[in-house]
Amino acid sequence: MPYPHFPKECTSALCRHLTPELYEELRDKKTRYGYTLDQLIRSGVDNPDSSIGVYAGDEESYTLFAPLLDPIIREYHRFDPRTQRHVSDMDPDHLQIDNPDPENAYILSTRIRVGRNLHCFPLGPNLARRERLIVECMVSDTLRTLDGELAGRYYPLTGLSEEDRKQLIEDHFLFKEGDRFLESAGLNRDWPEGRGIYHNDDKTFLVWVNEEDQLRIISMQPGGDIAQVFTRLSHAVTELQKRLTFAFDERLGYLTSCPTNLGTAMRASVHIRLPKLSKEMERFHAICDRHELQIRGIHGEHSESEEGIFDVSNRRRLGITEVEAVRQMAAGVRELIEAEKEI
Ligand code: ADP
Ligand code: ILO
């Protein structure tokens, strides 16, 4: 493939960092699992409205294609992969935060998820059909060994009725289908085979299998008790870590297919109703920027807000511990609530 064409309105990290010279330098490189530059950048080339535009195919992508990926990582996370090291801290005793909305007036629900991938396999964009099925089998077998609050059932996507699937998506428990960014990255190959969802009866603990990452481990519940949600997640991750080896790098933390998820691979969010502040978007954005928070719509990434309800979460995931990221989110949410009350 020649150097890709990016339309002039394109602002993705990919088009800003991939110069023709860099393309020439990297175009013939291939990881041991056979992943190439063209595969790495495919999503951003097909979707010029991408914000990032790249997906790694395996652990080695992060070293082989570092001349392109490092600057993207540095810009997104404010973390220099050449000189810094990621530190993890998921100890709930270190968190020490109060519910920012004890009267239950603003926060509808809290959700914290981490992405994980198995050390011995390529990442999703480069996972062969047979490997995906093995990952599904390994992960679902492991999930079946969890007990107590984490005990639940695995539901393969192929076995879910259309009605149940739609309801799970509508209720914010399940991933959507047909995301065009993931499609171009090769993450939707052989869909729906090999994908599924595990959850406990209360749907407070869930695991997505073989979506963007091989595991998305999720803790969620109504209201704003962020500490309780984090404690459950931490417990679940500790249990799973005893049974599975996750891809981890000293510099980059937990390895994920999208570089925005590296490090903690954690997104801690609240669904929060801010009808007044949402009429003053400049102020809303200013508070979020100050606390490095990201605003998403009510149905997740690339969706719109409805009825003044927003998904507010930590933006950085690398170079910050899990505890720090949750604290940062809680502090920002507290300020958003103050602003809403004041208006
Ligand atoms: P991810 O968080 O895994 O990166 P998305 O942004 O697509 O992916 O969100 C996945 C789903 O989780 C969506 O249905 C979204 O509405 C839901 N969700 C996110 N945060 C919350 C929350 N705090 N409460 C309830 N549902 C949430
Ligand atoms: N590839 C998409 C999404 C980037 C960040 N979101 C993730 C990891 N789901 C883009 O470049 O806009």
Side-chain angles (χ1 to χ4, degrees), residues 33-80:
Y33 282 132
Y35 204 62
T36 62
L37 177 68
D38 286 338
Q39 289 174 296
L40 185 101
I41 67 174
R42 178 70 189 273
S43 187
V45 173
D46 285 356
N47 301 284
D49 57 340
S50 292
S51 57
I52 306 296
V54 293
Y55 287 91
D58 44 34
E59 302 191 24
E60 195 189 346
S61 299
Y62 284 107
T63 45
L64 195 66
F65 302 113
L68 172 64
L69 294 181
D70 278 1
I72 294 177
I73 293 168
R74 199 175 311 124
E75 184 179 84
Y76 185 87
H77 298 282
R78 293 196 297 99
F79 172 93
D80 189 344

Side-chain angles (χ1 to χ4, degrees), residues 14-211:
L14 171 67
C15 79
R16 286 181 291 103
H17 291 286
L18 185 70
T19 60
E21 296 72 33
L22 191 55
Y23 185 79
E24 276 312 305
E25 179 190 329
L26 300 177
R27 59 178 291 170
D28 296 326
K29 293 194 187 293
K30 206 181 235 193
T31 66
R32 280 177 304 134
Y33 282 132
Y35 204 62
T36 62
L37 177 68
D38 286 338
Q39 289 174 296
L40 185 101
I41 67 174
R42 178 70 189 273
S43 187
V45 173
D46 285 356
N47 301 284
D49 57 340
S50 292
S51 57
I52 306 296
V54 293
Y55 287 91
D58 44 34
E59 302 191 24
E60 195 189 346
S61 299
Y62 284 107
T63 45
L64 195 66
F65 302 113
L68 172 64
L69 294 181
D70 278 1
I72 294 177
I73 293 168
R74 199 175 311 124
E75 184 179 84
Y76 185 87
H77 298 282
R78 293 196 297 99
F79 172 93
D80 189 344
R82 288 170 315 180
T83 56
Q84 288 177 272
R85 277 177 153 222
H86 177 74
V87 177
S88 171
D89 178 9
M90 271 198 112
D91 186 341
D93 292 340
H94 296 168
L95 189 60
Q96 310 216 325
I97 51 162
D98 297 324
N99 182 341
D101 181 29
E103 280 119 44
N104 256 328
Y106 303 94
I107 300 180
L108 280 73
S109 52
T110 303
R111 172 183 185 267
I112 311 181
R113 61 84 166 154
V114 292
R116 292 288 185 270
N117 292 282
L118 300 186
H119 166 59
C120 294
F121 291 87
L123 296 167
N126 198 26
L127 202 61
R129 180 177 175 198
R130 186 183 146 93
E131 291 168 328
R132 193 183 304 107
L133 292 174
I134 297 172
V135 169
E136 181 191 35
C137 186
M138 284 174 71
V139 173
S140 56
D141 277 357
T142 304
L143 289 166
R144 277 187 206 102
T145 66
L146 296 176
D147 53 17
E149 192 190 13
L150 307 180
R153 236 185 95 183
Y154 178 69
Y155 303 85
L157 216 53
T158 44
L160 275 180
S161 72
E162 195 52 15
E163 198 186 344
D164 288 347
R165 194 182 66 83
K166 285 199 172 127
Q167 194 60 51
L168 283 168
I169 297 174
E170 186 59 29
D171 294 342
H172 308 287
F173 296 124
L174 182 62
F175 44 83
K176 292 178 282 193
E177 187 179 323
D179 180 287
R180 66 189 158 91
F181 301 90
L182 301 188
E183 177 71 33
S184 301
L187 275 155
N188 293 345
R189 284 168 301 126
D190 312 309
W191 190 277
E193 191 189 72
R195 282 80 177 184
I197 181 170
Y198 172 93
H199 63 77
N200 62 4
D201 281 348
D202 295 340
K203 301 200 186 84
T204 53
F205 172 63
L206 308 95
V207 180
W208 295 354
V209 179
N210 282 325
E211 195 242 6

Side-chain angles (χ1 to χ4, degrees), residues 233-268:
L233 180 71
S234 167
H235 173 52
V237 170
T238 305
E239 288 306 309
L240 289 173
Q241 228 153 242
K242 287 181 195 162
R243 299 155 165 92
L244 296 167
T245 306
F246 296 132
F248 181 83
D249 178 83
E250 297 257 307
R251 285 180 319 134
L252 299 174
Y254 290 99
L255 297 176
T256 52
S257 60
C258 179
T260 63
N261 278 321
L262 288 168
T264 59
M266 194 180 82
R267 193 168 85 84

